[in-house]
Amino acid sequence: QVQLVESGGGSVQAGGSLRLSCGASGDTYSMGWFRQAPGNEREGVAGIDTDGSIFYARSIQGRFTISKDNAKNTLHLQMNSLKPEDTAMYYCAAGGGHLMTACNGGGCYLPRNQFEYWGQGILVTVSS
């Protein structure tokens, strides 16, 4: 059983930065960050595999950076140039296999069902 605990959320003005962290207990392989705004579905923001390959959602490319400290088994999400539309609950997720992405007419995304373990979520609020 893997437990995930997020930290680092909070409130910031548009254009500001926040760094989310996710401490993991137990072995993890692929890991990712998802977010869910009120009334919206949970969407994959970024994912990272054990071989270092990374996926970013189009909406955050160039602004967010995902990284993992393997020695501390901690996942990070550096969020820069934040926008009000980035306001959401952010969730850390971990899976037992390699990172998978899927693509359709709307673009490529991280399927939620590849991740077995989820954190409780942490709120990020960006004001204009």
Side-chain angles (χ1 to χ4, degrees):
Q1 189 75 11
V2 174
Q3 292 187 328
L4 304 172
V5 180
E6 300 102 336
S7 61
S11 297
V12 66
Q13 289 195 324
S17 298
L18 283 174
R19 188 186 193 215
L20 303 183
S21 296
C22 172
S25 65
D27 293 332
T28 58
Y29 292 89
S30 57
M31 296 189 74
W33 288 99
F34 284 71
R35 68 184 181 186
Q36 187 167 18
N40 290 356
E41 292 188 358
R42 192 172 296 188
E43 63 166 342
V45 173
I48 187 167
D49 204 345
T50 52
D51 63 1
S53 58
I54 287 173
F55 167 85
Y56 291 112
R58 188 182 304 172
S59 59
I60 58 87
Q61 274 186 340
R63 300 188 296 122
F64 292 10
T65 302
I66 189 172
S67 62
K68 186 179 178 187
D69 184 335
N70 289 316
K72 297 182 180 180
N73 211 16
T74 300
L75 183 71
H76 300 288
L77 185 68
Q78 177 66 43
M79 304 185 294
N80 298 329
S81 302
L82 283 161
K83 305 175 180 180
E85 52 264 42
D86 294 318
T87 295
M89 285 291 290
Y90 283 72
Y91 298 88
C92 175
H98 286 292
L99 189 70
M100 295 185 293
T101 60
C103 301
N104 57 24
C108 297
Y109 62 97
L110 284 177
R112 289 179 54 183
N113 58 9
Q114 67 180 302
F115 296 107
E116 304 165 60
Y117 307 104
W118 293 84
Q120 292 297 308
I122 193 162
L123 182 62
V124 170
T125 303
V126 184
S127 58
S128 58

